[in-house]
Amino acid sequence: MKRSLLFSIVFLQCAFLSAQDISTAKPWTYWWWMGSEVTKQDISAQLQFFKKSGLGGVHIIPIYGVKGNESASIRFLSPQWLDVMQFTVKEGQRLGLGVDLTTGTGWPFGGPNVTADLAARNMILKDGQMLVNPTNQKVKRAAPGGEGLVLDPFHSDAMSKYLTRFDSAFSSVLNRPRSMYMDSYEAYGANWTNDFLEKFKEMRGYDLDKQFALLIDSTNNAAAELVRIDYHQTLSELLLERYAKPWTKWSKKHGFLTRYQAHGSPGNLLDLYDAADIPETESFGSSRFPIPGVRVDPDYSIDQFGTPNPLAMKFASSAANFSGKKLVSSETGTWLANHFKVSLSQIKPQVDELFVAGINHIFYHGTTYSPEKEAYPGWLFYASTNFGKTSHFADQFHLLNEYVQRCQTLLQNSKPDNDVLVYFPIQDLWATKAKSSGDVHLLEVHHVDRWLLDLPFGKLAQKLWKEGYAFDYVSDLQLRKLSLDKNGLLNSGSTTYKTLLIPSSTYMSAETLNELKRLADAGGKIIFEEKSPSNATGYGNHQQHQQQFDKTLNALIKKGNVRISANLGKDLTSNGVVRETDLAKNGLSFIRKKIRNGGTMYFITNLGDQFNEGWLRLGTTGTFSKDDPMTGESLLSYRKGKKGNEFFLSLPPGKSVFLQDGADASEFLFTDEPEKYFEISGDWKLKFLNGKPTLPADAKFSKLQSWASLPDSAEYFSGTASYSLRFDVPEDVFRNAKMLDLGDVRETAKVKLNGREIGTAWCIPYQLPLYSEILKQKDNILEIEVTNLSANYMRLRDKLTPDWKKFKDINIVDITYKKFDALKWEPMPSGLLGPIRFIYY
């Protein structure tokens, strides 16, 4: 590694945080109460585990119960249920843990007080006639006392009537959760309500029932596109005004914050997320990171579920950034791999992806309440990942949580620094014929290719992301809140932006075009990508609207601060937009934030395989310190480059780092030596320490291998084993070793060198720094305790005693949603696979 003059920089951590801030900075977890078959004693025991593991809070979700345990079930919102809920809140307060609660059981909203007239409805057109029928959808995964029909999300007073049940229940509740929660929109087929035709005429100015032929027209008929836009616009507005806002208003009135998963709905996600205190996105499945060594479950179906995408996650963070909301949360780790197969090394890059997408409040998906005396593996939710006491990584769980807490402390106590505000032209999506349930466009987090990536808006967002620009999205409704500050920046009231960017699009409402003209008249900088929209929305009186639209547009594009761009990069630069060129070209993902001293902070993560180390330059100026949230390392090497200061960053694939400017720096010397490797070899001893089903015989070998390939019962063993080795090193390694690289570890490794613990490696890259004079030239003793996955043991458990699969409803399924069966699994590689090397200079 080549080094120049180094500056020693001290990174200043955020201090003086309140107890609530500390709790919020830690990750939280979904906590499923099966059948609400809970006891106070076990609630307390599990909360203590969460506290010990470094969690900051729980989110109670009552769901279906356990077969044969019906007598222990507590009906949702009964006096007994409210008593154990209040005990949980009070016990959480004692332990420093927060508590959130779903406003219902399972998902989506619905239950026993949803009568047929308040339930979701579906409209279809057949032979020119309108047929409206109930969807008859029941609450999914409902708990006892929460069963019933799903709520009509477009009904004028369905939400208020639904919430009366909670008014009564919470009237005498003193110990209340922090926040109410609404899960993702899964009201399948819902596309109508009892007064839809009347509201449509009121909002759009014409009778929809006279234009049904256009609504179902699947051609590129311009009139049909206008009617489809109007239909979706009406659904979107009703969903916001009749569903999201009444729920948030009720929650606020009763002293609750709100967490809201708006995705999956037919509404404009930006407006829906904006209605909540804490917008929440979702990371479902595993991203296809090219990080060497990161595994993807081969049984996971992209065709079925899609993959997580940070551009979809940014809808939640954009809404939060625009409105100045401190917290943005995410359901995290859902179906990351099959049951019993998820490692900490798979979770970390998914969390890092969320961080660069603007998320700063992680909720693991999740943990299941399980009686303390229940035999292994305990009660489990049907969808992995298991973050609970019976997880194979339970003893190492705190390491992930400490990392998340360090990151979220900084991310939550800083403000967005995104230069570009990208308009979301949802009308172009609405103009197309929908293929989703109910013939409406559902903006889900799974198959984002269906509504986001293939649109010009999505292609522009991908371009900005890959080229190193920092940006948020903005909706038609949010544009009305923008003004110009004294510096000529677009100001949302909470956040400023340098440029408003309009993607190449066809449709725009006259109201939105007028907002653009208002901003341009005030001096706001606006860029149209390649072309301006050509068609006004609104089927009613369309010709009149189009004439006024054309007139306004012609006046707008003549302004000097408005451009139709043929060279987007050049135009963004001329508007003062910062591009992080070096980070982008090296495949590094980042988020840029503003900190309290007026300086700039970056979180940078290497989720690819292009970069390992090298000289980089940031788009902003300043002298930056480094904070490695894994090791605490804080030194950066600087040099003068042709275009300004450059710093040397070592960031192998899988690593992340914070950079912060405004710190004092002092000069020190360095050496100019390449990075070298020395592989450790010799006679390894393997001793099994603890685990299931029994401890296999000890083993010796000269070449590292998976213990699952050993004889005896090793292929079924899940637990911890110790590797030990005596070795010597050459003098140059002895004097200059800086890092121990463990190579391929399955799955976590606690390391001692010459009797001194040097750390636990739990994620890629499996490397541990050597900070002190631990290494000797002769007769070193290396001891490594490795813990593997529980999958190998479950192969045997499912063969001998599969009685643990005893849950109601969906019971337990695998990642393909088929009946869970571990018998067909091949043994998972376990232990140290190596090579094990010292890195030295």
Side-chain angles (χ1 to χ4, degrees), residues 339-386:
H339 294 283
F340 311 107
K341 289 188 175 183
V342 179
S343 68
L344 293 176
S345 66
Q346 292 170 293
I347 299 169
K348 180 184 177 292
Q350 299 294 158
V351 170
D352 287 340
E353 181 178 60
L354 287 163
F355 287 160
V356 294
I359 309 307
N360 61 16
H361 192 16
I362 295 296
F363 276 77
Y364 297 129
H365 186 282
T367 60
T368 309
Y369 171 95
S370 184
E372 292 294 297
K373 294 182 180 180
E374 184 73 13
Y376 183 87
W379 294 356
L380 294 180
F381 188 58
Y382 77 93
S384 78
T385 300
N386 176 20

Side-chain angles (χ1 to χ4, degrees), residues 392-407:
H392 43 251
F393 55 66
D395 290 341
Q396 297 82 33
F397 189 27
H398 68 98
L399 298 170
L400 170 65
N401 297 331
E402 288 164 5
Y403 170 79
V404 173
Q405 182 183 1
R406 293 185 197 109
C407 293

